[in-house]
Amino acid sequence: MRITINGKEETLDKDDVTVSGLLAQKGVTAIEMVTVQLNGNFVNKDELQVTTLKPDDEVDFVYFMGEEKRL
């Protein structure tokens, strides 16, 4: 199945991949630091395991980084 991840077209080996499965395949371990957009819409964290990807979907991983504060 072909999808686009962060602007790059990729082919997945399986046709029944969930968003959380894709995150695992891509080695994303800090789920709390990532927001996922699927076809331009944000996916709620509690829906990552049940949202299944379809051919030609566009997925974007948006990483949030904390800012270090110095006193």
Side-chain angles (χ1 to χ4, degrees):
M1 169 173 57
R2 283 188 347 213
I3 64 170
T4 302
I5 303 171
N6 291 340
K8 180 183 174 194
E9 191 173 292
E10 296 196 27
T11 301
L12 303 179
D13 293 334
K14 297 167 53 175
D15 288 334
D16 59 344
V17 178
T18 62
V19 174
S20 64
L22 178 64
L23 288 167
Q25 284 182 25
K26 294 298 175 183
V28 177
T29 57
I31 301 295
E32 65 279 359
M33 299 297 287
V34 178
T35 298
V36 178
Q37 278 188 308
L38 177 59
N39 300 320
N41 298 307
F42 289 101
V43 180
N44 292 327
K45 297 261 189 229
D46 59 346
E47 296 177 359
L48 295 175
Q49 292 184 330
V50 296
T51 302
T52 304
L53 298 171
K54 297 172 191 66
D56 300 317
D57 274 347
E58 293 184 19
V59 182
D60 290 296
F61 300 149
V62 182
Y63 294 89
F64 294 96
M65 302 296 176
E67 183 177 316
E68 181 180 334
K69 291 187 178 187
R70 295 180 186 212
L71 299 177

